């Protein structure tokens, strides 16, 4: 056992050996649990924090001797923080499993932070926990295995070779308490030595706090685990139970049919329709009957954050600070008496569609649209009429809202998101380890996925046009968040909103209204084309925009949040028919 640390931490010194057989002299020396904690913590603070130290080394105001001193003190702070955390886990037979788990978690975190430039917070871990098998498969590659092996194998091999000295319960508590106290003292002392620089750095470079591995993952897990203490998840607050259908439903001859397409990982900057130099949206760009908002912004930088937020009435700030969960936009539409259907070609609706009709296309077997076990987005249109027909006839007679949840441009395997016939840009990056490819190849693969979305949206509009004889139709397409494609060595999405680049937050928002829907809603496409050309809009307005388009009257609707309201003239009710649907339907 190293004598220097023993001198400073006497509780680490040998005590009476637990072995009593005649072979005690030949038995390997048992290690005090604290030694394992300290040495594993040093490994975590150094080898498993390469992304952090790379960022610290690149700071412009930390050079020379002062910068080196800051870096050394920062490393001691991280190591001491690891010791403090692990001292809480150093209990008997659970010690080694706990250390193995932490080392593996740190190795995985290091790989993803190094490879994609991400940071780890509660939102990122929520994405991980909600990832399905298909999405997880897109992340597996030899680099991941090699990185985990390099960072985890040495300490784990060493750890498994070390016998651990058993301690009595009281001694265990005392020694762990001393270890925790020592770690805190070292941490505070190191912090005081560089406090001015440390405080300034963490204030001006907030991303660093999300790179401290594995404390970032542990904190994020704790934040997720304690969510029920901050948000009452046991109850669901009712919303819009007063919802009723407005005057446009009086005597209607054709019910409205609104398709809400939820894009995945589509960033506005790569849409030709929005001024991108490449023709990624040739079909939509050729149409003169739709509107593309070029200044639209998301609720979050991940599906798990944005999807529940955009279907909420609270807006981004209110949703993040909520104390309880409540019903969503889809519930309000259903309360008003409309038929509502969620069609999913991805990993679920994150609770948004729990109380309405829903179907998934991910397990369908279609030789043309589902090669290699993954269905492309057009599969949703193939099953759509059948799924709508299965909804209650009384509700369909009033009107229908359908949500199509795309696979879209989900990464990192962008090349999988476009059919061979739609690959206009090459060569593509055909690896899920994006750092293996030139950035141009990554962009090519991503842009081809936008071409596929262009074809899907155009096909959706064409399908809606075929329904004109029996419905007044419209489509609204909005992506949940954007994506980083290697700019600043960042890939994918999910950075904390405050530090995320604009490409992860600026999203496409496209509206198509049939002539019949324009007349019904009083919203003219020509007006929207002028009004939404540059006006800043956000997901906060999505809830109210949909209610406004569908003429659903409720106290939860706010006209000032409805992005279509400035272009809405007096609604023009259709000509009277012999019978009218119930316009006062509401669920009590």
């Amino acid at each position: 056992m190293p004598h220097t640390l023993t001198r400073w931490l006497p509780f680490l010194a040998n005590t009476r050996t637990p072995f009593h057989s005649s072979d005690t002299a030949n038995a390997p020396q048992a290690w005090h649990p604290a030694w394992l904690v300290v040495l594993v913590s040093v490994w975590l603070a150094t080898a498993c924090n390469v992304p952090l130290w790379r960022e610290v080394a690149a700071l412009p105001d930390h050079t020379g001797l002062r910068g080196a001193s800051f870096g050394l003190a920062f490393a001691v702070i991280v190591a001491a923080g690891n010791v403090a955390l692990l001292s809480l886990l150093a209990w008997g037979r659970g010690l080694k499993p706990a250390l193995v788990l932490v080392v593996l978690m740190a190795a995985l975190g290091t790989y993803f932070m190094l490879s994609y430039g991400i940071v780890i917070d509660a939102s990122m871990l929520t994405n991980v926990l909600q990832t399905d098998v298909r999405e997880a498969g897109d992340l597996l590659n030899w680099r991941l295995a090699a990185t985990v092996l390099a960072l985890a194998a040495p300490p784990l091999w060493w750890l498994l070779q070390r016998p651990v000295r058993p301690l009595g319960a009281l001694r265990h508590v005392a020694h762990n308490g001393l270890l925790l106290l020592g770690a805190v003292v070292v941490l505070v002392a190191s912090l005081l030595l560089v406090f001015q620089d440390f405080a300034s750095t963490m204030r001006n470079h907030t991303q660093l706090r999300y790179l401290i591995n594995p404390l970032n993952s542990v904190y994020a897990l704790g934040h997720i685990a304690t969510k029920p203490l901050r948000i009452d998840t046991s109850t669901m607050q009712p919303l819009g139970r007063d919802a009723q259908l407005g005057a446009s439903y009086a005597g209607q001859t054709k019910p409205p049919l609104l398709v809400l397409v939820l894009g995945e990982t589509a960033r506005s900057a790569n849409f030709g329709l929005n001024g991108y130099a490449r023709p990624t949206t040739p079909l939509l760009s050729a149409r003169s009957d739709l509107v593309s908002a070029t200044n639209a912004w998301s609720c979050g930088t991940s599906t798990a954050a944005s999807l529940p937020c955009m279907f909420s009435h609270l807006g981004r700030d209110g949703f993040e600070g909520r104390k309880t969960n409540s019903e969503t936009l889809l519930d309000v539409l259903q309360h008003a008496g409309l038929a509502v259907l969620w069609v999913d070609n991805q990993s679920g609706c994150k609770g948004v569609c729990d109380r309405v009709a829903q179907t998934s296309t991910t397990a369908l077997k279609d030789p043309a649209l589902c090669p290699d076990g993954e269905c492309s987005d057009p599969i949703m249109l193939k099953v759509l009429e059948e799924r709508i027909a299965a909804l209650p006839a009384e509700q369909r007679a009033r009107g229908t809202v359908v949500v199509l949840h795309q696979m879209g441009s989900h990464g990192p395997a962008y090349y999988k998101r476009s059919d061979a016939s739609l690959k206009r840009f090459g060569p593509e990056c055909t690896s899920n380890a994006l750092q293996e490819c030139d950035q141009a190849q990554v962009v090519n693969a991503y842009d081809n996925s936008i071409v596929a979305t262009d074809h899907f949206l155009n096909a959706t509009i064409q399908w809606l046009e075929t329904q004109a004889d029996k419905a007044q139709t419209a489509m609204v397409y909005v992506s949940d968040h954007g994506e980083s494609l290697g700019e600043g060595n960042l890939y994918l999405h999910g950075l904390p909103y405050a530090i995320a680049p604009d490409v992860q937050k600026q999203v496409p928002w496209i509206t198509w209204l049939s002539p019949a829907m324009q007349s019904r809603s009083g919203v003219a496409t020509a007006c929207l084309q002028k009004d939404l050309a540059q006006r800043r809009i956000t997901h906060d307005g999505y809830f109210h925009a949909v209610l406004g388009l569908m003429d659903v009257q409720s106290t939860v609707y706010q006209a000032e949040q409805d992005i279509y309201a400035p272009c809405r003239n007096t609604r023009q009710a259709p000509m009277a028919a012999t019978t009218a649907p119930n316009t006062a339907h509401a669920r009590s």
Side-chain angles (χ1 to χ4, degrees), residues 382-441:
K382 186 172 183 178
V383 304
L384 190 52
E385 287 195 59
E386 176 187 353
R387 299 296 192 268
I388 291 177
L391 298 173
E394 182 182 1
Q395 294 178 351
R396 285 189 286 112
R398 300 187 186 99
T400 302
V401 177
V402 176
V403 182
L404 304 180
H405 188 197
Q406 282 186 275
M407 175 56 74
S409 300
H410 197 288
Y414 305 122
Y415 68 97
K416 292 183 178 181
R417 310 285 107 87
S418 58
D419 184 79
S421 63
L422 300 177
K423 294 186 182 297
R424 298 194 169 203
F425 310 105
E428 283 188 314
C429 176
T430 57
S431 171
N432 58 10
L434 299 178
Q435 66 276 17
E436 291 182 348
C437 303
D438 292 336
Q439 186 183 9
Q441 295 176 329

Side-chain angles (χ1 to χ4, degrees), residues 148-274:
V148 172
L149 186 64
L151 292 176
L156 294 186
W157 179 86
W158 176 85
L159 182 65
L160 294 177
Q161 303 301 312
R162 309 274 89 77
V164 182
R165 180 185 311 150
L167 300 174
L170 292 178
R171 180 175 291 177
H172 225 321
V173 171
H175 286 204
N176 282 17
L178 288 172
L179 182 62
L180 176 61
L181 178 61
V184 171
V185 169
V186 171
L187 189 154
V188 171
S190 301
L191 181 60
L192 291 176
L193 289 174
V194 292
F195 181 78
Q196 184 175 354
D197 285 346
F198 188 86
S200 174
T201 298
M202 300 306 286
R203 182 173 59 251
N204 296 326
H205 305 279
T206 55
Q207 76 277 10
L208 294 180
R209 69 187 66 176
Y210 303 109
L211 292 172
I212 302 175
N213 190 31
L215 297 178
N216 50 3
S217 296
V218 173
Y219 177 83
L221 285 172
H223 189 272
I224 294 171
T226 57
K227 182 178 178 180
L229 301 179
R230 301 186 307 275
I231 301 175
D232 180 8
T233 58
S234 62
T235 59
M236 182 67 64
Q237 292 295 325
L239 182 71
R241 296 299 179 95
D242 62 339
Q244 297 185 9
L245 302 179
S248 65
Y249 291 84
Q252 66 181 8
T253 56
K254 298 177 185 178
L257 170 58
L258 173 62
V259 172
L260 303 174
V261 181
L262 287 182
E264 169 62 35
T265 318
R267 67 187 212 175
S268 180
N270 287 58
F271 270 60
L273 193 64
N274 292 342

